[in-house]
């Protein structure tokens, strides 16, 4: 049977926040512990981060440990998962180079993620070639591990489509050594796109609207109290609205039924709480206090585990180093197959003999 392999990762451009947690990290830990996968590979995509941080190599460098700490804090376990750094696998460059022959410029120009990011970063005409082609390099990340499953947010959907196309073209042109990956999206809507505390669609450091996994309890509480709710819900008795109400979006993403019996026993579940809010008579502060209890309970073990690893940073780098070595071994194995498929294995005995025979 075909092996089930997970590959996913993050650009190290900052600490990870609760959007990363519900969008991907929580799922990765669940998958890691499910026992359903033969291998789980989690990559810190430093080379990809450099494609749009050309002048900030220090920023990328300083965030390697931050992201690794967030991974370990969330429960990614180096005994069960391979945690590694993209740039330490030079075979990825080699595979990307060959993949470039399988993709057209117009196909890359149509990639919606690239389009959106070009706009967001004001690249327009001055886009670096490496940034423009990062879907190709991302396809190499995925396929060099023969990943079957890629747990990411929905913004990465076009990347997966591109990777599948490349696999199909490669396998048809050479021989079927690569595996078509499947995307694995978070199950619920709120987790797909968790808004910032200001209700804006995306959590981002520059907007100052993130709750970080490493935030202290007071900071978490203060951010929840600031959170955007329903601007028409002025008095407790007023009927409230759920659409665009960040507090309820967060409850959709984080809250479980058992949280009600612990922190808000007047309600059996989230549906009852929502119904009361819509009816009127339920104040924002009460809902925010409940969300605070839920988030504090969720984030405390993560923060405490992070603090433990922070005391032993050399160990964190040892984990990344041995993970990178293990990942490289897999990558080298695939590249041997790729070179053979592409007829680049000139120094194999059979090939040399066949060449010799030709001149007899
Ligand atoms: N592009 C992803 C992000 O910005 C990071 C990434 C790089 C990735 N290579 C990958 C994710 C391969 C999944 C698979 O978050």
């Amino acid at each position: 049977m075909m092996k089930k392999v997970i590959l996913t990762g993050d650009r190290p451009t900052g600490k990870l926040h609760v959007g990363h947690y519900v969008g991907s990290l929580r799922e990765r830990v669940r998958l890691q512990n499910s026992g359903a996968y033969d291998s789980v590979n989690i990559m810190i995509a430093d080379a990809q981060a450099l494609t749009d941080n050309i002048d900030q190599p220090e920023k990328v460098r300083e965030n390697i440990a931050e992201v690794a700490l967030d991974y370990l804090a969330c429960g990614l376990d180096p005994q069960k998962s391979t945690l590694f750094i993209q740039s330490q696998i030079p075979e990825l460059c080699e595979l990307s180079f060959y993949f470039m022959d399988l993709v057209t410029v117009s196909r890359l120009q149509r990639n919606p993620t690239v389009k959106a990011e070009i706009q967001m970063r004001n690249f327009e005409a001055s886009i670096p070639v490496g940034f423009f082609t990062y879907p190709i390099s991302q396809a190499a990340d995925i396929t060099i591990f023969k990943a079957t499953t890629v747990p990411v947010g929905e913004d990465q959907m076009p990347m997966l489509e591109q990777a599948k196309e490349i696999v199909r073209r490669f396998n048809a042109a050479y021989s079927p050594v690569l595996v078509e990956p499947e995307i694995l999206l978070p199950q619920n809507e709120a987790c797909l796109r968790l808004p910032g505390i200001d209700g804006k669609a995306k959590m981002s450091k520059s907007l100052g609207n993130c709750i970080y996994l490493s935030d202290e309890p007071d900071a978490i509480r203060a951010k929840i109290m600031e959170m955007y709710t329903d601007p028409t819900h002025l008095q407790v008795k007023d009927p409230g609205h759920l659409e665009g109400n960040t507090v309820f979006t967060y409850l959709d993403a984080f809250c479980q039924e058992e949280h009600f019996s612990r922190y808000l026993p007047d309600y059996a579940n989230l549906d009852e709480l929502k119904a009361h809010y819509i009816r009127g008579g339920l104040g924002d502060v009460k809902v925010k206090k409940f969300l605070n209890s839920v988030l504090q309970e969720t984030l405390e073990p993560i923060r405490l585990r992070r603090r433990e690893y922070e005391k032993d940073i050399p160990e964190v780098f040892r984990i990344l180093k041995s993970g990178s070595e293990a990942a490289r071994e897999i990558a080298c194995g695939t590249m041997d197959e790729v070179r053979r498929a592409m007829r680049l294995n000139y120094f194999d005995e059979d090939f040399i003999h066949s060449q010799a025979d030709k001149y007899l």
Side-chain angles (χ1 to χ4, degrees), residues 7-11 43 45 48 86 134 138 141-142 150 152 156:
L7 179 285
T8 185
D10 304 273
R11 298 180 190 197
M43 178 180 78
Q48 190 179 99
Q86 185 184 29
Y134 96 75
Q138 189 155 331
D141 299 337
I142 294 167
V150 182
V152 282
Q156 298 294 306

Side-chain angles (χ1 to χ4, degrees), residues 317-360:
F317 280 93
R318 276 193 293 277
I319 290 168
L320 293 176
K321 187 168 183 233
S322 70
S324 299
E325 284 162 4
R328 190 163 184 206
E329 215 163 292
I330 304 291
C332 286
T334 304
M335 280 317 293
D336 281 342
E337 292 179 62
V338 163
R339 285 186 216 106
R340 212 173 312 130
M342 295 181 72
R343 322 306 290 146
L344 304 170
N345 52 331
Y346 307 119
F347 305 128
D348 281 7
E349 288 298 321
D350 332 348
F351 180 65
I352 296 173
H353 287 302
S354 73
Q355 290 294 295
D357 291 346
K358 202 169 106 184
Y359 295 97
L360 282 181

Side-chain angles (χ1 to χ4, degrees), residues 226-239:
E226 257 182 59
M227 219 174 237
Y228 182 81
T229 58
D230 169 10
T232 69
H233 187 239
L234 297 173
Q235 295 182 27
V236 172
K237 66 172 173 34
D238 292 339

Side-chain angles (χ1 to χ4, degrees), residues 155-358:
D155 60 314
Q156 298 294 306
M157 204 113 71
M159 298 292 153
L160 265 287
E161 282 313 310
Q162 182 86 74
K164 285 186 196 200
E165 275 175 41
I166 290 175
V167 169
R168 288 196 282 264
R169 290 211 66 185
F170 183 98
N171 287 350
Y174 305 114
S175 68
V177 301
L178 300 180
V179 176
E180 268 191 57
E182 294 300 330
I183 192 168
L184 186 63
L185 294 169
Q187 305 92 332
N188 95 38
E189 188 67 29
C191 299
L192 277 176
R193 224 167 253 276
L194 195 73
I197 59 167
D198 54 0
K200 299 247 164 66
K202 219 173 162 134
M203 237 184 252
S204 96
K205 195 160 131 185
S206 50
L207 293 175
N209 62 359
C210 307
I211 297 177
Y212 292 101
L213 292 172
S214 49
D215 274 349
E216 294 294 341
D218 288 352
I220 297 168
R221 193 189 160 77
K223 288 175 185 181
I224 290 171
M225 291 305 153
E226 257 182 59
M227 219 174 237
Y228 182 81
T229 58
D230 169 10
T232 69
H233 187 239
L234 297 173
Q235 295 182 27
V236 172
K237 66 172 173 34
D238 292 339
H241 299 86
L242 302 179
E243 307 79 52
N245 189 322
T246 318
V247 178
F248 279 96
T249 309
Y250 274 57
L251 284 173
D252 281 329
F254 284 96
C255 160
Q256 286 151 16
E257 223 157 278
E258 72 215 43
H259 290 131
F260 282 92
S261 53
R262 279 209 278 287
Y263 305 116
L264 206 57
D266 290 351
Y267 303 85
N269 54 43
L270 192 51
D271 288 338
E272 281 188 15
L273 189 74
K274 285 177 176 174
H276 192 183
Y277 192 79
I278 294 169
R279 231 171 27 242
L282 174 59
D284 281 343
V285 173
K286 188 164 175 180
V287 188
K288 285 182 169 180
K289 282 187 171 157
F290 176 56
L291 173 62
N292 181 55
S293 304
V294 170
L295 265 190
Q296 297 288 357
E297 179 185 314
T298 308
L299 297 181
E300 184 184 57
I302 296 175
R303 184 174 52 249
L304 296 180
R305 213 175 297 129
R306 200 182 203 277
R307 297 280 172 269
E308 282 310 303
Y309 278 108
E310 284 173 359
K311 291 180 197 155
D312 195 358
I313 293 297
E315 170 63 9
V316 173
F317 280 93
R318 276 193 293 277
I319 290 168
L320 293 176
K321 187 168 183 233
S322 70
S324 299
E325 284 162 4
R328 190 163 184 206
E329 215 163 292
I330 304 291
C332 286
T334 304
M335 280 317 293
D336 281 342
E337 292 179 62
V338 163
R339 285 186 216 106
R340 212 173 312 130
M342 295 181 72
R343 322 306 290 146
L344 304 170
N345 52 331
Y346 307 119
F347 305 128
D348 281 7
E349 288 298 321
D350 332 348
F351 180 65
I352 296 173
H353 287 302
S354 73
Q355 290 294 295
D357 291 346
K358 202 169 106 184

